[in-house]
Amino acid sequence: MTSKLEQKETPQANGAVLPIVPGDCLTSPERGQRAEPADFLGPDGTGVEVVVLESRANAKGVREEDALLENGSQSNESDDTSTDRGPEPASPLKETSFSIGLQVLFPFLLAGFGTVAAGMVLDIVQHWDVFKYVTEVFILVPALLGLKGNLEMTLASRLSTAANIGQMDTPKELWKMITGNMALIQVQATVVGFLASIAAVVFGWIPDGHFSIDHAVLLCASSVATAFIASLVLGMIMIGVIIGSRKMGINPDNVATPIAASLGDLITLALLSGISWGLYKELESKAYVNPLVCAFFISLLPIWIVIAKRNSATREVLYSGWEPVIIAMAISSVGGLILDRTVSDPNFAGMAVFTPVINGVGGNLVAVQASRISTYLHMSGVPGDSPETAPRKCPSPCSTFFSSDVNSRSARVLFLLVVPGHLVFLYTISSMQGGHTTLTLIFIVFYMTAALLQVLILLYIADWMVHWMWGRDLDPDNFSIPYLTALGDLIGTGLLALSFHVLWLIGDRDSDVGD
């Protein structure tokens, strides 16, 4: 009768029973010692059966259960207390609510101050001639800010997942990911920037019935140039942040997307304001400048397309990743139309400075959650093939916010950051005398209600959308964030406009409007 060498299995291991003959020998990966043939002989000298365990690990040796997985923290424990077993691999990505909050807090505040700065810039530039006489530029603001959020956050989410599963550990892999993704976002930025200008022209023409070819070309040149330059700058920053996060042992999912948003809003709005102002000045004396600028950036498209097609990591996104960013741009443009119709109304004084803040904070938080859920799913397989991550058609609010898994825990942490974060941002705006408005208690209550409702809706939609896309063989890193940030722009702008309208009806804003 043959004997068996028994060993406990973990939930992440796949066991295979292999016959061992006397001439074979194995090296134990856990003990670091070479097993001699005699160790595998039964009493009668025949071979024994050995259970060989296959541990799925990435290039760094970090096992799947150590990376963001709730079941990892629950199943790592073993009843075997034998002292001859080597120590388990380190688990730098195992997270508690405190660690999640600690890692998210600084980037969240940084992102918030970036949106505050963007709001202050918009509050100033709304009085420039180009914004007064080419009011369609206001429609471009949420569309381009949302575009940058979509592209840069999607880039951050893609690279964070690649870094966490070991696809950026060698210089060759790292360079391949950088070149492919940079070329990809240049293509997307140029095309969607052009489409955003068309949407701005259409949305501006429909209500007024007035069309100007000069203004249309101005919008096209401003939008394409802004999208291209901002993508180039922010893409390089994102790559540096993700590489630095990995070297410091920080989960890139927690820090990359907020930092992308913090710099994205400010840089994009500053570029849009400066470029549109400069092109508007050249409109009368040098009318050829606007079409020349537009043609120059569009002519670079074939170069970026060739580079992106040569990279297997971005080739699929180049073909299939257009739907989310284009639909998201259209959704954000609707929010821009709301902004265009309210920002010049005295009853909505101050809305310009608060719009980037509420939209930016909501987009930042939901992007972090979507990126985390996507990484969690990638740890268990590829989109569409894992029964453990089947899409939940209609998750209940309790499962989204009050269950014990790691994604629910992070949703609670992110939701709890809304009120203290916005209080800091509102105080900063008030201290800098932005918005030509005084913060009253009733205004803060209405503003906080709108902000909480926005984030609550977005986190719930993210829980459903990411799992739904995963179950339909779509990579959430590429598809979910554009929709979520665009919905954040639309919901945030709509709720903020509604709050200002109600405040005007009850008379709270009348005495607070400045010059």
Side-chain angles (χ1 to χ4, degrees), residues 455-490:
V455 174
L456 188 71
I457 295 172
L458 290 176
L459 291 176
Y460 179 76
I461 293 176
D463 187 31
W464 164 79
M465 181 178 289
V466 173
H467 287 90
W468 181 84
M469 289 180 172
W470 182 269
R472 278 151 183 79
D473 201 20
L474 300 174
D475 189 346
D477 280 327
N478 298 326
F479 289 90
S480 64
I481 289 181
Y483 290 118
L484 293 170
T485 55
L487 287 173
D489 291 342
L490 179 59

PDB file of all heavy atoms in Angstrom, residues 455-490:
ATOM      1  N   VAL A 455     -22.172  61.826  -4.986  1.00  0.00           N
ATOM      2  CA  VAL A 455     -21.206  60.750  -4.738  1.00  0.00           C
ATOM      3  C   VAL A 455     -21.920  59.440  -4.422  1.00  0.00           C
ATOM      4  O   VAL A 455     -21.485  58.358  -4.845  1.00  0.00           O
ATOM      5  CB  VAL A 455     -20.238  61.153  -3.613  1.00  0.00           C
ATOM      6  CG1 VAL A 455     -19.324  59.991  -3.240  1.00  0.00           C
ATOM      7  CG2 VAL A 455     -19.414  62.363  -4.034  1.00  0.00           C
ATOM      8  N   LEU A 456     -23.014  59.520  -3.687  1.00  0.00           N
ATOM      9  CA  LEU A 456     -23.779  58.319  -3.348  1.00  0.00           C
ATOM     10  C   LEU A 456     -24.274  57.625  -4.619  1.00  0.00           C
ATOM     11  O   LEU A 456     -24.134  56.402  -4.781  1.00  0.00           O
ATOM     12  CB  LEU A 456     -24.967  58.687  -2.458  1.00  0.00           C
ATOM     13  CG  LEU A 456     -25.768  57.526  -1.855  1.00  0.00           C
ATOM     14  CD1 LEU A 456     -24.953  56.817  -0.784  1.00  0.00           C
ATOM     15  CD2 LEU A 456     -27.079  58.036  -1.272  1.00  0.00           C
ATOM     16  N   ILE A 457     -24.827  58.408  -5.533  1.00  0.00           N
ATOM     17  CA  ILE A 457     -25.318  57.847  -6.796  1.00  0.00           C
ATOM     18  C   ILE A 457     -24.166  57.266  -7.616  1.00  0.00           C
ATOM     19  O   ILE A 457     -24.263  56.168  -8.179  1.00  0.00           O
ATOM     20  CB  ILE A 457     -26.076  58.927  -7.600  1.00  0.00           C
ATOM     21  CG1 ILE A 457     -27.343  59.351  -6.854  1.00  0.00           C
ATOM     22  CG2 ILE A 457     -26.420  58.423  -8.996  1.00  0.00           C
ATOM     23  CD1 ILE A 457     -28.058  60.539  -7.482  1.00  0.00           C
ATOM     24  N   LEU A 458     -23.062  57.999  -7.680  1.00  0.00           N
ATOM     25  CA  LEU A 458     -21.932  57.561  -8.503  1.00  0.00           C
ATOM     26  C   LEU A 458     -21.313  56.260  -7.977  1.00  0.00           C
ATOM     27  O   LEU A 458     -20.978  55.362  -8.755  1.00  0.00           O
ATOM     28  CB  LEU A 458     -20.869  58.659  -8.562  1.00  0.00           C
ATOM     29  CG  LEU A 458     -21.231  59.913  -9.361  1.00  0.00           C
ATOM     30  CD1 LEU A 458     -20.131  60.944  -9.251  1.00  0.00           C
ATOM     31  CD2 LEU A 458     -21.479  59.556 -10.825  1.00  0.00           C
ATOM     32  N   LEU A 459     -21.123  56.145  -6.663  1.00  0.00           N
ATOM     33  CA  LEU A 459     -20.539  54.924  -6.101  1.00  0.00           C
ATOM     34  C   LEU A 459     -21.445  53.720  -6.328  1.00  0.00           C
ATOM     35  O   LEU A 459     -20.967  52.608  -6.585  1.00  0.00           O
ATOM     36  CB  LEU A 459     -20.272  55.110  -4.602  1.00  0.00           C
ATOM     37  CG  LEU A 459     -19.158  56.094  -4.229  1.00  0.00           C
ATOM     38  CD1 LEU A 459     -19.076  56.246  -2.719  1.00  0.00           C
ATOM     39  CD2 LEU A 459     -17.815  55.638  -4.789  1.00  0.00           C
ATOM     40  N   TYR A 460     -22.746  53.936  -6.230  1.00  0.00           N
ATOM     41  CA  TYR A 460     -23.686  52.834  -6.471  1.00  0.00           C
ATOM     42  C   TYR A 460     -23.652  52.410  -7.939  1.00  0.00           C
ATOM     43  O   TYR A 460     -23.622  51.210  -8.258  1.00  0.00           O
ATOM     44  CB  TYR A 460     -25.100  53.257  -6.074  1.00  0.00           C
ATOM     45  CG  TYR A 460     -26.137  52.187  -6.312  1.00  0.00           C
ATOM     46  CD1 TYR A 460     -26.251  51.100  -5.460  1.00  0.00           C
ATOM     47  CD2 TYR A 460     -26.993  52.265  -7.410  1.00  0.00           C
ATOM     48  CE1 TYR A 460     -27.198  50.107  -5.681  1.00  0.00           C
ATOM     49  CE2 TYR A 460     -27.949  51.283  -7.638  1.00  0.00           C
ATOM     50  CZ  TYR A 460     -28.045  50.213  -6.772  1.00  0.00           C
ATOM     51  OH  TYR A 460     -28.976  49.233  -7.002  1.00  0.00           O
ATOM     52  N   ILE A 461     -23.640  53.397  -8.848  1.00  0.00           N
ATOM     53  CA  ILE A 461     -23.576  53.082 -10.272  1.00  0.00           C
ATOM     54  C   ILE A 461     -22.260  52.375 -10.608  1.00  0.00           C
ATOM     55  O   ILE A 461     -22.220  51.440 -11.423  1.00  0.00           O
ATOM     56  CB  ILE A 461     -23.739  54.363 -11.116  1.00  0.00           C
ATOM     57  CG1 ILE A 461     -25.147  54.931 -10.949  1.00  0.00           C
ATOM     58  CG2 ILE A 461     -23.461  54.088 -12.591  1.00  0.00           C
ATOM     59  CD1 ILE A 461     -25.368  56.251 -11.670  1.00  0.00           C
ATOM     60  N   ALA A 462     -21.154  52.814  -9.980  1.00  0.00           N
ATOM     61  CA  ALA A 462     -19.855  52.190 -10.237  1.00  0.00           C
ATOM     62  C   ALA A 462     -19.866  50.721  -9.840  1.00  0.00           C
ATOM     63  O   ALA A 462     -19.317  49.866 -10.566  1.00  0.00           O
ATOM     64  CB  ALA A 462     -18.758  52.939  -9.476  1.00  0.00           C
ATOM     65  N   ASP A 463     -20.485  50.395  -8.708  1.00  0.00           N
ATOM     66  CA  ASP A 463     -20.534  49.006  -8.254  1.00  0.00           C
ATOM     67  C   ASP A 463     -21.257  48.138  -9.272  1.00  0.00           C
ATOM     68  O   ASP A 463     -20.833  47.006  -9.566  1.00  0.00           O
ATOM     69  CB  ASP A 463     -21.239  48.936  -6.897  1.00  0.00           C
ATOM     70  CG  ASP A 463     -21.175  47.551  -6.288  1.00  0.00           C
ATOM     71  OD1 ASP A 463     -20.185  46.832  -6.537  1.00  0.00           O
ATOM     72  OD2 ASP A 463     -22.120  47.178  -5.572  1.00  0.00           O
ATOM     73  N   TRP A 464     -22.344  48.670  -9.820  1.00  0.00           N
ATOM     74  CA  TRP A 464     -23.092  47.908 -10.826  1.00  0.00           C
ATOM     75  C   TRP A 464     -22.364  47.888 -12.173  1.00  0.00           C
ATOM     76  O   TRP A 464     -22.215  46.843 -12.799  1.00  0.00           O
ATOM     77  CB  TRP A 464     -24.488  48.511 -10.992  1.00  0.00           C
ATOM     78  CG  TRP A 464     -25.163  48.032 -12.248  1.00  0.00           C
ATOM     79  CD1 TRP A 464     -25.784  46.841 -12.450  1.00  0.00           C
ATOM     80  CD2 TRP A 464     -25.225  48.740 -13.491  1.00  0.00           C
ATOM     81  NE1 TRP A 464     -26.260  46.758 -13.738  1.00  0.00           N
ATOM     82  CE2 TRP A 464     -25.938  47.909 -14.403  1.00  0.00           C
ATOM     83  CE3 TRP A 464     -24.782  49.989 -13.920  1.00  0.00           C
ATOM     84  CZ2 TRP A 464     -26.190  48.302 -15.718  1.00  0.00           C
ATOM     85  CZ3 TRP A 464     -25.032  50.373 -15.225  1.00  0.00           C
ATOM     86  CH2 TRP A 464     -25.731  49.543 -16.111  1.00  0.00           C
ATOM     87  N   MET A 465     -21.896  49.050 -12.621  1.00  0.00           N
ATOM     88  CA  MET A 465     -21.361  49.174 -13.980  1.00  0.00           C
ATOM     89  C   MET A 465     -20.093  48.354 -14.181  1.00  0.00           C
ATOM     90  O   MET A 465     -19.922  47.676 -15.208  1.00  0.00           O
ATOM     91  CB  MET A 465     -21.088  50.652 -14.304  1.00  0.00           C
ATOM     92  CG  MET A 465     -20.565  50.885 -15.704  1.00  0.00           C
ATOM     93  SD  MET A 465     -20.323  52.640 -16.073  1.00  0.00           S
ATOM     94  CE  MET A 465     -22.017  53.202 -16.175  1.00  0.00           C
ATOM     95  N   VAL A 466     -19.160  48.403 -13.218  1.00  0.00           N
ATOM     96  CA  VAL A 466     -17.895  47.686 -13.375  1.00  0.00           C
ATOM     97  C   VAL A 466     -18.139  46.181 -13.462  1.00  0.00           C
ATOM     98  O   VAL A 466     -17.579  45.491 -14.328  1.00  0.00           O
ATOM     99  CB  VAL A 466     -16.927  48.030 -12.224  1.00  0.00           C
ATOM    100  CG1 VAL A 466     -15.685  47.159 -12.290  1.00  0.00           C
ATOM    101  CG2 VAL A 466     -16.540  49.500 -12.284  1.00  0.00           C
ATOM    102  N   HIS A 467     -18.998  45.649 -12.580  1.00  0.00           N
ATOM    103  CA  HIS A 467     -19.300  44.216 -12.639  1.00  0.00           C
ATOM    104  C   HIS A 467     -20.076  43.863 -13.902  1.00  0.00           C
ATOM    105  O   HIS A 467     -19.867  42.793 -14.492  1.00  0.00           O
ATOM    106  CB  HIS A 467     -20.101  43.802 -11.406  1.00  0.00           C
ATOM    107  CG  HIS A 467     -19.290  43.761 -10.147  1.00  0.00           C
ATOM    108  ND1 HIS A 467     -19.148  44.857  -9.317  1.00  0.00           N
ATOM    109  CD2 HIS A 467     -18.569  42.770  -9.571  1.00  0.00           C
ATOM    110  CE1 HIS A 467     -18.383  44.535  -8.290  1.00  0.00           C
ATOM    111  NE2 HIS A 467     -18.015  43.279  -8.424  1.00  0.00           N
ATOM    112  N   TRP A 468     -20.967  44.738 -14.322  1.00  0.00           N
ATOM    113  CA  TRP A 468     -21.748  44.485 -15.541  1.00  0.00           C
ATOM    114  C   TRP A 468     -20.835  44.423 -16.760  1.00  0.00           C
ATOM    115  O   TRP A 468     -20.974  43.543 -17.612  1.00  0.00           O
ATOM    116  CB  TRP A 468     -22.790  45.589 -15.698  1.00  0.00           C
ATOM    117  CG  TRP A 468     -23.678  45.433 -16.892  1.00  0.00           C
ATOM    118  CD1 TRP A 468     -24.816  44.683 -16.980  1.00  0.00           C
ATOM    119  CD2 TRP A 468     -23.491  46.044 -18.177  1.00  0.00           C
ATOM    120  NE1 TRP A 468     -25.358  44.785 -18.249  1.00  0.00           N
ATOM    121  CE2 TRP A 468     -24.563  45.626 -19.003  1.00  0.00           C
ATOM    122  CE3 TRP A 468     -22.534  46.902 -18.708  1.00  0.00           C
ATOM    123  CZ2 TRP A 468     -24.698  46.034 -20.320  1.00  0.00           C
ATOM    124  CZ3 TRP A 468     -22.659  47.324 -20.021  1.00  0.00           C
ATOM    125  CH2 TRP A 468     -23.730  46.890 -20.817  1.00  0.00           C
ATOM    126  N   MET A 469     -19.903  45.371 -16.863  1.00  0.00           N
ATOM    127  CA  MET A 469     -18.969  45.367 -17.993  1.00  0.00           C
ATOM    128  C   MET A 469     -18.057  44.146 -17.955  1.00  0.00           C
ATOM    129  O   MET A 469     -17.762  43.539 -18.987  1.00  0.00           O
ATOM    130  CB  MET A 469     -18.132  46.652 -17.981  1.00  0.00           C
ATOM    131  CG  MET A 469     -18.915  47.888 -18.346  1.00  0.00           C
ATOM    132  SD  MET A 469     -17.885  49.371 -18.332  1.00  0.00           S
ATOM    133  CE  MET A 469     -19.027  50.574 -19.021  1.00  0.00           C
ATOM    134  N   TRP A 470     -17.607  43.787 -16.764  1.00  0.00           N
ATOM    135  CA  TRP A 470     -16.726  42.625 -16.634  1.00  0.00           C
ATOM    136  C   TRP A 470     -17.417  41.361 -17.125  1.00  0.00           C
ATOM    137  O   TRP A 470     -16.823  40.539 -17.827  1.00  0.00           O
ATOM    138  CB  TRP A 470     -16.304  42.464 -15.173  1.00  0.00           C
ATOM    139  CG  TRP A 470     -15.370  41.323 -14.935  1.00  0.00           C
ATOM    140  CD1 TRP A 470     -15.699  40.038 -14.622  1.00  0.00           C
ATOM    141  CD2 TRP A 470     -13.943  41.362 -14.995  1.00  0.00           C
ATOM    142  NE1 TRP A 470     -14.567  39.278 -14.471  1.00  0.00           N
ATOM    143  CE2 TRP A 470     -13.468  40.069 -14.699  1.00  0.00           C
ATOM    144  CE3 TRP A 470     -13.022  42.362 -15.257  1.00  0.00           C
ATOM    145  CZ2 TRP A 470     -12.123  39.744 -14.658  1.00  0.00           C
ATOM    146  CZ3 TRP A 470     -11.670  42.057 -15.221  1.00  0.00           C
ATOM    147  CH2 TRP A 470     -11.237  40.759 -14.924  1.00  0.00           C
ATOM    148  N   GLY A 471     -18.675  41.199 -16.768  1.00  0.00           N
ATOM    149  CA  GLY A 471     -19.412  40.013 -17.180  1.00  0.00           C
ATOM    150  C   GLY A 471     -19.697  39.967 -18.668  1.00  0.00           C
ATOM    151  O   GLY A 471     -20.049  38.904 -19.196  1.00  0.00           O
ATOM    152  N   ARG A 472     -19.551  41.096 -19.353  1.00  0.00           N
ATOM    153  CA  ARG A 472     -19.770  41.152 -20.801  1.00  0.00           C
ATOM    154  C   ARG A 472     -18.467  41.297 -21.572  1.00  0.00           C
ATOM    155  O   ARG A 472     -18.435  41.832 -22.665  1.00  0.00           O
ATOM    156  CB  ARG A 472     -20.729  42.296 -21.135  1.00  0.00           C
ATOM    157  CG  ARG A 472     -22.176  41.870 -20.918  1.00  0.00           C
ATOM    158  CD  ARG A 472     -23.075  43.029 -20.541  1.00  0.00           C
ATOM    159  NE  ARG A 472     -24.427  42.508 -20.285  1.00  0.00           N
ATOM    160  CZ  ARG A 472     -24.791  41.918 -19.157  1.00  0.00           C
ATOM    161  NH1 ARG A 472     -23.895  41.745 -18.191  1.00  0.00           N
ATOM    162  NH2 ARG A 472     -26.027  41.469 -18.978  1.00  0.00           N
ATOM    163  N   ASP A 473     -17.394  40.816 -20.956  1.00  0.00           N
ATOM    164  CA  ASP A 473     -16.090  40.723 -21.633  1.00  0.00           C
ATOM    165  C   ASP A 473     -15.535  42.092 -22.005  1.00  0.00           C
ATOM    166  O   ASP A 473     -14.818  42.242 -22.998  1.00  0.00           O
ATOM    167  CB  ASP A 473     -16.197  39.839 -22.873  1.00  0.00           C
ATOM    168  CG  ASP A 473     -14.839  39.291 -23.298  1.00  0.00           C
ATOM    169  OD1 ASP A 473     -13.925  39.266 -22.453  1.00  0.00           O
ATOM    170  OD2 ASP A 473     -14.686  38.894 -24.466  1.00  0.00           O
ATOM    171  N   LEU A 474     -15.857  43.118 -21.221  1.00  0.00           N
ATOM    172  CA  LEU A 474     -15.318  44.465 -21.420  1.00  0.00           C
ATOM    173  C   LEU A 474     -14.393  44.793 -20.261  1.00  0.00           C
ATOM    174  O   LEU A 474     -14.743  44.563 -19.100  1.00  0.00           O
ATOM    175  CB  LEU A 474     -16.438  45.506 -21.497  1.00  0.00           C
ATOM    176  CG  LEU A 474     -17.465  45.337 -22.615  1.00  0.00           C
ATOM    177  CD1 LEU A 474     -18.586  46.361 -22.459  1.00  0.00           C
ATOM    178  CD2 LEU A 474     -16.806  45.486 -23.981  1.00  0.00           C
ATOM    179  N   ASP A 475     -13.228  45.343 -20.556  1.00  0.00           N
ATOM    180  CA  ASP A 475     -12.283  45.711 -19.506  1.00  0.00           C
ATOM    181  C   ASP A 475     -12.753  46.995 -18.831  1.00  0.00           C
ATOM    182  O   ASP A 475     -12.788  48.052 -19.472  1.00  0.00           O
ATOM    183  CB  ASP A 475     -10.889  45.919 -20.106  1.00  0.00           C
ATOM    184  CG  ASP A 475      -9.818  46.091 -19.032  1.00  0.00           C
ATOM    185  OD1 ASP A 475     -10.181  46.307 -17.853  1.00  0.00           O
ATOM    186  OD2 ASP A 475      -8.622  46.016 -19.371  1.00  0.00           O
ATOM    187  N   PRO A 476     -13.134  46.956 -17.555  1.00  0.00           N
ATOM    188  CA  PRO A 476     -13.632  48.165 -16.884  1.00  0.00           C
ATOM    189  C   PRO A 476     -12.610  49.293 -16.835  1.00  0.00           C
ATOM    190  O   PRO A 476     -12.991  50.465 -16.756  1.00  0.00           O
ATOM    191  CB  PRO A 476     -13.974  47.673 -15.467  1.00  0.00           C
ATOM    192  CG  PRO A 476     -14.114  46.202 -15.592  1.00  0.00           C
ATOM    193  CD  PRO A 476     -13.160  45.783 -16.668  1.00  0.00           C
ATOM    194  N   ASP A 477     -11.314  48.968 -16.868  1.00  0.00           N
ATOM    195  CA  ASP A 477     -10.296  50.012 -16.871  1.00  0.00           C
ATOM    196  C   ASP A 477     -10.449  50.932 -18.077  1.00  0.00           C
ATOM    197  O   ASP A 477     -10.121  52.116 -18.011  1.00  0.00           O
ATOM    198  CB  ASP A 477      -8.891  49.394 -16.892  1.00  0.00           C
ATOM    199  CG  ASP A 477      -8.460  48.920 -15.513  1.00  0.00           C
ATOM    200  OD1 ASP A 477      -8.856  49.546 -14.525  1.00  0.00           O
ATOM    201  OD2 ASP A 477      -7.746  47.910 -15.433  1.00  0.00           O
ATOM    202  N   ASN A 478     -10.926  50.401 -19.189  1.00  0.00           N
ATOM    203  CA  ASN A 478     -11.039  51.172 -20.417  1.00  0.00           C
ATOM    204  C   ASN A 478     -12.431  51.762 -20.640  1.00  0.00           C
ATOM    205  O   ASN A 478     -12.575  52.742 -21.371  1.00  0.00           O
ATOM    206  CB  ASN A 478     -10.690  50.300 -21.629  1.00  0.00           C
ATOM    207  CG  ASN A 478      -9.266  49.785 -21.581  1.00  0.00           C
ATOM    208  OD1 ASN A 478      -8.366  50.460 -21.099  1.00  0.00           O
ATOM    209  ND2 ASN A 478      -9.056  48.572 -22.062  1.00  0.00           N
ATOM    210  N   PHE A 479     -13.451  51.171 -20.018  1.00  0.00           N
ATOM    211  CA  PHE A 479     -14.814  51.542 -20.365  1.00  0.00           C
ATOM    212  C   PHE A 479     -15.593  52.236 -19.249  1.00  0.00           C
ATOM    213  O   PHE A 479     -16.494  53.024 -19.537  1.00  0.00           O
ATOM    214  CB  PHE A 479     -15.596  50.296 -20.807  1.00  0.00           C
ATOM    215  CG  PHE A 479     -15.176  49.755 -22.140  1.00  0.00           C
ATOM    216  CD1 PHE A 479     -14.169  48.806 -22.232  1.00  0.00           C
ATOM    217  CD2 PHE A 479     -15.776  50.189 -23.297  1.00  0.00           C
ATOM    218  CE1 PHE A 479     -13.768  48.303 -23.455  1.00  0.00           C
ATOM    219  CE2 PHE A 479     -15.389  49.693 -24.539  1.00  0.00           C
ATOM    220  CZ  PHE A 479     -14.378  48.756 -24.613  1.00  0.00           C
ATOM    221  N   SER A 480     -15.311  51.941 -17.998  1.00  0.00           N
ATOM    222  CA  SER A 480     -16.195  52.417 -16.932  1.00  0.00           C
ATOM    223  C   SER A 480     -15.953  53.874 -16.543  1.00  0.00           C
ATOM    224  O   SER A 480     -16.907  54.646 -16.366  1.00  0.00           O
ATOM    225  CB  SER A 480     -16.050  51.523 -15.697  1.00  0.00           C
ATOM    226  OG  SER A 480     -14.741  51.600 -15.158  1.00  0.00           O
ATOM    227  N   ILE A 481     -14.691  54.270 -16.400  1.00  0.00           N
ATOM    228  CA  ILE A 481     -14.386  55.598 -15.864  1.00  0.00           C
ATOM    229  C   ILE A 481     -14.916  56.731 -16.744  1.00  0.00           C
ATOM    230  O   ILE A 481     -15.437  57.717 -16.219  1.00  0.00           O
ATOM    231  CB  ILE A 481     -12.873  55.734 -15.600  1.00  0.00           C
ATOM    232  CG1 ILE A 481     -12.476  54.866 -14.398  1.00  0.00           C
ATOM    233  CG2 ILE A 481     -12.473  57.182 -15.354  1.00  0.00           C
ATOM    234  CD1 ILE A 481     -11.018  54.931 -14.025  1.00  0.00           C
ATOM    235  N   PRO A 482     -14.812  56.661 -18.087  1.00  0.00           N
ATOM    236  CA  PRO A 482     -15.399  57.745 -18.884  1.00  0.00           C
ATOM    237  C   PRO A 482     -16.885  57.967 -18.602  1.00  0.00           C
ATOM    238  O   PRO A 482     -17.333  59.112 -18.450  1.00  0.00           O
ATOM    239  CB  PRO A 482     -15.160  57.286 -20.329  1.00  0.00           C
ATOM    240  CG  PRO A 482     -13.943  56.443 -20.247  1.00  0.00           C
ATOM    241  CD  PRO A 482     -14.052  55.725 -18.940  1.00  0.00           C
ATOM    242  N   TYR A 483     -17.653  56.880 -18.534  1.00  0.00           N
ATOM    243  CA  TYR A 483     -19.078  57.029 -18.247  1.00  0.00           C
ATOM    244  C   TYR A 483     -19.305  57.620 -16.857  1.00  0.00           C
ATOM    245  O   TYR A 483     -20.160  58.503 -16.670  1.00  0.00           O
ATOM    246  CB  TYR A 483     -19.774  55.672 -18.334  1.00  0.00           C
ATOM    247  CG  TYR A 483     -19.881  55.106 -19.725  1.00  0.00           C
ATOM    248  CD1 TYR A 483     -19.271  53.904 -20.052  1.00  0.00           C
ATOM    249  CD2 TYR A 483     -20.592  55.764 -20.722  1.00  0.00           C
ATOM    250  CE1 TYR A 483     -19.365  53.365 -21.330  1.00  0.00           C
ATOM    251  CE2 TYR A 483     -20.691  55.242 -22.000  1.00  0.00           C
ATOM    252  CZ  TYR A 483     -20.073  54.046 -22.298  1.00  0.00           C
ATOM    253  OH  TYR A 483     -20.166  53.523 -23.564  1.00  0.00           O
ATOM    254  N   LEU A 484     -18.557  57.133 -15.879  1.00  0.00           N
ATOM    255  CA  LEU A 484     -18.777  57.557 -14.499  1.00  0.00           C
ATOM    256  C   LEU A 484     -18.412  59.028 -14.285  1.00  0.00           C
ATOM    257  O   LEU A 484     -19.148  59.770 -13.627  1.00  0.00           O
ATOM    258  CB  LEU A 484     -17.970  56.665 -13.555  1.00  0.00           C
ATOM    259  CG  LEU A 484     -18.432  55.199 -13.477  1.00  0.00           C
ATOM    260  CD1 LEU A 484     -17.432  54.355 -12.710  1.00  0.00           C
ATOM    261  CD2 LEU A 484     -19.812  55.111 -12.826  1.00  0.00           C
ATOM    262  N   THR A 485     -17.277  59.457 -14.834  1.00  0.00           N
ATOM    263  CA  THR A 485     -16.892  60.862 -14.655  1.00  0.00           C
ATOM    264  C   THR A 485     -17.819  61.794 -15.427  1.00  0.00           C
ATOM    265  O   THR A 485     -18.114  62.899 -14.965  1.00  0.00           O
ATOM    266  CB  THR A 485     -15.439  61.081 -15.104  1.00  0.00           C
ATOM    267  OG1 THR A 485     -15.269  60.618 -16.452  1.00  0.00           O
ATOM    268  CG2 THR A 485     -14.470  60.352 -14.192  1.00  0.00           C
ATOM    269  N   ALA A 486     -18.290  61.354 -16.598  1.00  0.00           N
ATOM    270  CA  ALA A 486     -19.246  62.180 -17.349  1.00  0.00           C
ATOM    271  C   ALA A 486     -20.567  62.301 -16.595  1.00  0.00           C
ATOM    272  O   ALA A 486     -21.161  63.384 -16.524  1.00  0.00           O
ATOM    273  CB  ALA A 486     -19.476  61.586 -18.735  1.00  0.00           C
ATOM    274  N   LEU A 487     -21.026  61.187 -16.037  1.00  0.00           N
ATOM    275  CA  LEU A 487     -22.236  61.247 -15.213  1.00  0.00           C
ATOM    276  C   LEU A 487     -22.018  62.135 -14.000  1.00  0.00           C
ATOM    277  O   LEU A 487     -22.934  62.847 -13.559  1.00  0.00           O
ATOM    278  CB  LEU A 487     -22.630  59.839 -14.771  1.00  0.00           C
ATOM    279  CG  LEU A 487     -23.237  58.934 -15.846  1.00  0.00           C
ATOM    280  CD1 LEU A 487     -23.414  57.517 -15.310  1.00  0.00           C
ATOM    281  CD2 LEU A 487     -24.576  59.491 -16.330  1.00  0.00           C
ATOM    282  N   GLY A 488     -20.795  62.094 -13.451  1.00  0.00           N
ATOM    283  CA  GLY A 488     -20.483  62.983 -12.333  1.00  0.00           C
ATOM    284  C   GLY A 488     -20.594  64.448 -12.722  1.00  0.00           C
ATOM    285  O   GLY A 488     -21.125  65.270 -11.958  1.00  0.00           O
ATOM    286  N   ASP A 489     -20.111  64.804 -13.920  1.00  0.00           N
ATOM    287  CA  ASP A 489     -20.237  66.185 -14.396  1.00  0.00           C
ATOM    288  C   ASP A 489     -21.698  66.584 -14.558  1.00  0.00           C
ATOM    289  O   ASP A 489     -22.106  67.682 -14.146  1.00  0.00           O
ATOM    290  CB  ASP A 489     -19.513  66.343 -15.739  1.00  0.00           C
ATOM    291  CG  ASP A 489     -18.007  66.246 -15.599  1.00  0.00           C
ATOM    292  OD1 ASP A 489     -17.511  66.396 -14.463  1.00  0.00           O
ATOM    293  OD2 ASP A 489     -17.321  66.013 -16.613  1.00  0.00           O
ATOM    294  N   LEU A 490     -22.473  65.718 -15.185  1.00  0.00           N
ATOM    295  CA  LEU A 490     -23.879  66.038 -15.435  1.00  0.00           C
ATOM    296  C   LEU A 490     -24.672  66.122 -14.137  1.00  0.00           C
ATOM    297  O   LEU A 490     -25.416  67.089 -13.912  1.00  0.00           O
ATOM    298  CB  LEU A 490     -24.491  64.986 -16.360  1.00  0.00           C
ATOM    299  CG  LEU A 490     -25.968  65.165 -16.703  1.00  0.00           C
ATOM    300  CD1 LEU A 490     -26.217  66.507 -17.374  1.00  0.00           C
ATOM    301  CD2 LEU A 490     -26.453  64.019 -17.590  1.00  0.00           C
TER     302      LEU A 490
END
